[in-house]
Amino acid sequence: MKTLNLSPLDPEFVQNPYAAYAQARLDGPVLYWKDYGMLAAFDAATVQSVLRDRRFGREVPADQRQPVPAHLADFDAVDRHSMLELEPPSHTRLRGLVLRAFTSRRIASLAPDIASIAAELLAAIPQGSFDLIPTFCTQLPVRIIARLLGVPEDMWPDLLRWSNAMVAIYQAGRTRAVEDAANAAAADFSAFLRGYVEVRRKDPRDDLITQLIAAEEDGEKLSTDALIGTCILLLNAGHEATVHALGNGVACLLTHQVPRDLLGPDTIAATVEEILRFDPPLHVFERFAYEDVDLNGVTVEKGQKIALVLGAAGRDPALYPDPDCFDPTRPMKPHAAFGGGLHFCVGAPLARLEMQIGLRALFDHAPQLRLTEPPRYANSYHFHKLERLMVEI
């Protein structure tokens, strides 16, 4: 098995990881990524297979669990209840409760809200060159997920600040300062939600928090801590990826000068899927092996971690002919941008709807939108997101 020596903080890699992925697929496709100290899979077949293989999971094996440092106690109190880090039966119970709110009918009913918020944001777009990320891409998904959860929408700056601080802990090159900020954000976020849950107990509404409270009271034994952890996960995951998928998508459409007819009502869905394949916002998702598993001649030993490089899987020529060509007209095939298996993103339908409505609204409002500087990606791997997106109408 070959070793990959590649820093996720290398500036050239940050700006274009896809060239390195192509070489890794040729060398592997399963390699030992020295900088991460774990195996990594770069091809679509292995990534898709491991995502669905019950011999792999997210939950840390019992013999690898370490005492939580005191400075991360508040973060751990949230993280330990995250269904993203759990396996059945705990994961099954939590996911089942959440899916009661993420029905196709409920998601579809949010379309007018998405359109309304998009119109409000676009009406306030400034003249001249401006950064589209905070102006449009960030606010649209965070305000929608706030409405879905039922928390006050005007709190979105606080929700965004807490979320950004917590999510930063998963990026390469994390420091003690990043950990301290994530822990403080987890404490503040939890304190707000604990009080808000009590408000919703007395004044139930048609929102996700109320539904989770009802499930708890119906005997499903969802503790308040688990409810808080679930709400924080949904808000963090429910907007973080969509913010950057929107930003990456706009940059992609402008860079490749995509014809506007590919943003029409009959074509926008395919265009969004091609964006997610071509330049997804999340590039790595990790799994533990719960027993020895052979992957094309490479043995993943019990307890070992493997990185599934979602960004590389989307550019695999074995599945996508001419994968480095952005082509919304290509026949749609499944991609791994939202993961797969038990941990497939529960918010995927909402993210797709937000992208479809948001992108159409943006280019209907500003058909002559253009870049005023080349897009530049942030040093935030394994998230692949733009540092800023300077445009003008």
Side-chain angles (χ1 to χ4, degrees):
M1 179 176 54
K2 292 185 179 179
T3 296
L4 175 65
N5 292 291
L6 177 65
S7 170
L9 302 176
D10 177 80
E12 185 176 347
F13 174 74
V14 167
Q15 296 308 313
N16 177 24
Y18 300 108
Y21 292 161
Q23 186 59 52
R25 275 193 305 271
L26 293 174
D27 292 339
V30 178
L31 303 172
Y32 178 76
W33 197 340
K34 185 176 180 181
D35 301 78
Y36 275 104
M38 72 177 79
L39 298 172
F42 292 87
D43 65 311
T46 304
V47 167
Q48 295 281 14
S49 172
V50 174
L51 284 171
R52 290 160 176 78
D53 192 331
R54 294 299 302 128
R55 295 174 296 176
F56 294 91
R58 289 282 301 173
E59 196 164 349
V60 180
D63 61 353
Q64 293 191 39
R65 294 172 191 164
Q66 301 292 326
V68 177
H71 74 282
L72 286 175
D74 292 306
F75 183 89
D76 177 71
V78 172
D79 199 48
R80 77 167 73 115
H81 293 291
S82 169
M83 64 180 174
L84 188 63
E85 310 299 339
L86 298 173
E87 293 297 313
S90 300
H91 174 271
T92 306
R93 178 170 52 86
L94 279 175
R95 189 179 178 95
L97 292 172
V98 171
L99 285 174
R100 293 181 184 180
F102 276 85
T103 62
S104 56
R105 178 178 296 180
R106 183 65 176 268
I107 298 305
S109 73
L110 289 170
D113 296 84
I114 298 170
S116 173
I117 292 174
E120 177 187 331
L121 295 174
L122 292 170
I125 277 181
Q127 297 294 315
S129 181
F130 66 96
D131 186 354
L132 191 70
I133 301 296
T135 308
F136 182 75
C137 301
T138 296
Q139 291 193 53
L140 181 61
V142 74
R143 288 172 62 177
I144 288 295
I145 200 69
R147 287 191 186 186
L148 183 64
L149 284 169
V151 299
E153 190 176 328
D154 59 5
M155 280 192 64
W156 72 263
D158 291 320
L159 301 175
L160 188 66
R161 176 170 50 84
W162 292 332
S163 179
N164 287 343
M166 293 183 70
V167 169
I169 206 169
Y170 300 110
Q171 296 171 187
R174 95 186 203 191
T175 62
R176 173 60 187 264
V178 168
E179 293 180 348
D180 288 342
N183 195 68
D188 291 343
F189 208 161
S190 297
F192 160 70
L193 282 173
R194 196 172 298 279
Y196 199 74
V197 165
E198 292 308 310
V199 171
R200 279 289 163 265
R201 288 188 197 278
K202 299 171 185 176
D203 182 20
R205 302 287 179 88
D206 182 23
D207 56 41
L208 179 57
I209 289 180
T210 299
Q211 290 184 353
L212 290 176
I213 291 170
E216 176 188 4
E217 292 174 349
D218 285 345
E220 298 202 26
K221 299 181 180 177
L222 181 63
S223 68
T224 299
D225 287 341
L227 192 155
I228 289 170
T230 299
C231 289
I232 289 177
L233 168 66
L234 290 173
L235 195 140
N236 289 354
H239 86 275
E240 183 76 19
T242 310
V243 169
H244 308 308
L246 279 169
N248 294 0
V250 172
C252 188
L253 295 171
L254 294 177
T255 301
H256 292 88
Q257 299 182 334
V258 173
R260 294 297 175 261
D261 61 358
L262 293 178
L263 298 174
D266 298 327
T267 55
I268 186 63
T271 299
V272 165
E273 294 310 303
E274 178 68 351
I275 289 169
L276 292 167
R277 176 202 73 82
F278 187 82
D279 203 25
L282 176 65
H283 275 217
V284 172
F285 204 37
E286 299 167 357
R287 290 287 194 276
F288 287 97
Y290 294 146
E291 59 183 79
D292 291 354
V293 182
D294 178 78
L295 294 178
N296 300 317
V298 174
T299 299
V300 187
E301 297 178 359
K302 180 180 179 180
Q304 273 192 314
K305 230 178 188 183
I306 182 168
L308 306 178
V309 189
L310 311 180
R315 297 284 189 105
D316 188 342
L319 188 59
Y320 310 101
D322 199 8
D324 294 323
C325 173
F326 180 75
D327 180 13
T329 67
R330 72 169 69 235
M332 281 195 288
K333 295 180 181 178
H335 56 73
F338 291 116
L342 288 180
H343 289 283
F344 181 78
C345 177
V346 296
L350 177 58
R352 285 179 162 122
L353 187 65
E354 288 173 329
M355 289 184 69
Q356 291 169 16
I357 294 175
L359 290 173
R360 286 196 67 202
L362 173 64
F363 285 97
D364 283 347
H365 178 83
Q368 301 303 316
L369 191 72
R370 70 176 189 90
L371 296 169
T372 57
E373 66 179 46
R376 182 170 179 80
Y377 292 92
N379 186 13
S380 58
Y381 197 81
H382 51 86
F383 299 106
H384 188 59
K385 62 185 184 180
L386 291 169
E387 200 167 61
R388 61 182 186 171
L389 182 57
M390 301 303 296
V391 297
E392 70 176 0
I393 300 174

